[in-house]
Amino acid sequence: MLAGLLGSLVGLGGGIIVVPALTLLMGVDIRFAIGASIISVIATSSGAGFSYVREHITNLRLAMFLEVATAAGALSGTAIAALVGGRWLFVLFGAVLTYTAWSMLRAGQRKAEVALPSKDTWADRLKLHGSYFDHSENREVTYRVARSPVGFLVSYAAGVISGLLGIGGGVLKVPVMNLSMGIPIKVCTATSNFMIGITAATSALVYFLRGHVQPFIAAPVAVGVLLGARIGAHLLGRLRSQSIRWVFLGVLIVSAIQMFLKGVL
Amino acid sequence: MNQLNQHPLEVEVVISEVLRRGVYTSLGLIGVGTLLAFWQGDYGSAGGTTLDYIRLVHGSSDVHRSAAWLLNGLLHLQGSAAIVCGLLLLIATPVIRVLISIVTFAIARDRAYVVITSAVLVLLVLAFLLGGAG
């Protein structure tokens, strides 16, 4: 349930909580733990998603646009996974996450908004700009999307990484959408949350057909995560954007440590 | 919220509805299935104690996953079959969402997004086929 709450707030899958909790605390076989965690990603995505979509916090067009890149990246990632060794990749990814955490920390300390290139032909043509009603600030927040080609490329890279390492690309997409593309943090997490559900559905089906989804393990996880996601969905609208940044930063640092540990051990 | 409901065919509202129904239906199936499974003794002879659950979780017994087993289980109101059905629906929901959004974008005559969303779908199917083979 905690996984669903956190996942729905920061726009990531609950995998970084569910897998360790199941394997370490309950001694579940790792294959079943991963199967259950992919179910939990979908549960987070759909469970919180319908509120975010309705409240226009999720940017549907942006999600679809970036999803093309992510899905293509995941395909290439799985294709080359057999060719390259995994160990140093985890270390590399840990380093990328550390850098991302650092740049988010710096951006959080700066008061003034970073000057963004105002012209983005792709974003204009694809109508990516949006607005949503922020309950914590009690006003309509309008935003413009900048540097959409950069976002597209990073989403591709995030897809490759998730295909290679079997982890969600959300930790990469959220900071890029927030920092480079100038999108409000709530829109970033909600949109990322929306996208991971689509990607996870594919892997979940594959896991299911391999028999790695144990119903009696996945069922309580799914129910707990769904409830957590509902609570998270109610919270997101009310929390201040700054608080969400801090929660995300915490998750980012924990994932970075996990990646380093996986690479070194 | 109410002012958002003025356009019933708005893509956001349609997708939100699809997700909401998918989530609650699967939640219901999983809940009912779990209760049935308890009642039918799937959780073990002692009636679902912690020890029973640990045995269930550690036993890497074959997970039933054939369509025939699922259909048969549903016809006989098997709790475990209802759980599997709920989980499958949960997995299917995002895919249904992609399909529905292609249709709604088409109705809204948003050609660019019909192409983009269809591309997502094609990539997903490709990924599934590759993953299933590997």
Side-chain angles (χ1 to χ4, degrees):
Chain A
M1 187 162 148
L2 183 71
L5 176 63
L6 203 60
S8 53
L9 275 183
V10 296
L12 315 170
I16 65 165
I17 298 174
V18 170
V19 172
L22 283 177
T23 49
L24 298 179
L25 297 179
M26 295 179 64
V28 171
D29 188 307
I30 181 81
R31 289 172 307 149
F32 293 149
I34 295 177
S37 99
I38 292 184
I39 294 285
S40 84
V41 173
I42 304 177
T44 314
S45 172
S46 305
F50 67 77
S51 301
Y52 296 162
V53 170
R54 185 174 286 268
E55 289 169 31
H56 288 240
I57 305 181
T58 304
N59 187 329
L60 271 186
R61 291 170 189 275
L62 184 67
M64 288 304 176
F65 173 65
L66 295 183
E67 185 59 36
V68 177
T70 314
L75 260 182
S76 5
T78 358
I80 57 175
L83 303 176
V84 286
R87 193 158 277 242
W88 63 271
L89 269 173
F90 280 106
V91 179
L92 183 74
F93 190 56
V96 172
L97 288 184
T98 315
Y99 173 74
T100 319
W102 183 64
S103 49
M104 274 199 88
L105 202 62
R106 254 189 350 173
Q109 279 161 353
R110 259 199 308 265
K111 271 270 176 229
E113 279 294 302
V114 193
L116 290 167
S118 58
K119 194 124 181 76
D120 184 336
T121 353
W122 277 101
D124 291 341
R125 195 175 303 162
L126 293 173
K127 294 175 283 187
L128 293 179
H129 314 296
S131 67
Y132 70 103
F133 187 79
D134 194 312
H135 287 283
S136 72
E137 297 175 30
N138 209 21
R139 69 184 176 94
E140 185 85 9
V141 176
T142 308
Y143 58 92
R144 294 183 61 79
V145 175
R147 298 206 192 97
S148 48
V150 175
F152 197 77
L153 282 180
V154 174
S155 296
Y156 179 78
V160 172
I161 289 169
S162 60
L164 274 177
L165 304 183
I167 47 173
V171 278
L172 275 184
K173 275 180 285 191
V174 172
V176 165
M177 282 193 267
N178 186 223
L179 296 176
S180 313
M181 300 173 76
I183 300 166
I185 185 87
K186 286 184 186 181
V187 177
C188 300
T189 60
T191 304
S192 162
N193 174 67
F194 186 83
M195 286 192 281
I196 53 175
I198 306 177
T199 326
T202 317
S203 355
L205 209 52
V206 171
Y207 272 81
F208 185 86
L209 292 176
R210 287 183 191 163
H212 291 179
V213 178
Q214 224 285 6
F216 292 110
I217 301 173
V221 169
V223 171
V225 168
L226 274 177
L227 294 178
R230 292 307 304 145
I231 300 173
H234 281 288
L235 274 177
L236 183 91
R238 284 158 188 81
L239 282 175
R240 285 184 310 124
S241 299
Q242 204 55 38
S243 331
I244 295 176
R245 273 169 163 262
W246 284 115
V247 177
F248 183 78
L249 203 58
V251 172
L252 208 54
I253 291 166
V254 172
S255 346
I257 294 170
Q258 275 191 349
M259 286 303 124
F260 278 124
L261 285 179
K262 268 193 187 167
V264 174
L265 294 179
Chain B
M1 289 289 278
N2 278 334
Q3 73 258 31
L4 296 182
N5 295 340
Q6 279 171 0
H7 314 285
L9 250 179
E10 205 185 359
V11 183
E12 277 82 2
V13 175
V14 173
I15 290 180
S16 168
E17 273 308 296
V18 169
L19 286 180
R20 194 172 64 84
R21 283 178 200 177
V23 164
Y24 283 130
T25 314
S26 59
L27 195 60
L29 275 171
I30 293 172
V32 169
T34 305
L35 288 179
L36 275 175
F38 261 118
W39 187 51
Q40 289 158 348
D42 277 4
Y43 274 93
S45 47
T49 56
T50 317
L51 262 177
D52 273 337
Y53 192 66
I54 288 173
R55 200 178 320 123
L56 198 69
V57 163
H58 284 274
S60 43
S61 59
D62 259 3
V63 179
H64 305 286
R65 52 180 191 275
S66 68
W69 172 84
L70 190 65
L71 205 65
N72 188 49
L74 282 178
L75 284 176
H76 292 90
L77 291 175
Q78 285 265 304
S80 46
I83 297 179
V84 171
C85 210
L87 290 173
L88 274 178
L89 182 65
L90 196 63
I91 298 174
T93 307
V95 184
I96 298 170
R97 174 183 73 194
V98 175
L99 285 173
I100 302 269
S101 50
I102 296 179
V103 176
T104 34
F105 279 131
I107 292 171
R109 290 175 198 280
D110 202 332
R111 199 170 297 153
Y113 277 91
V114 174
V115 173
I116 288 178
T117 319
S118 310
V120 170
L121 188 67
V122 168
L123 287 168
L124 286 185
V125 172
L126 267 179
F128 170 67
L129 291 178
L130 281 177

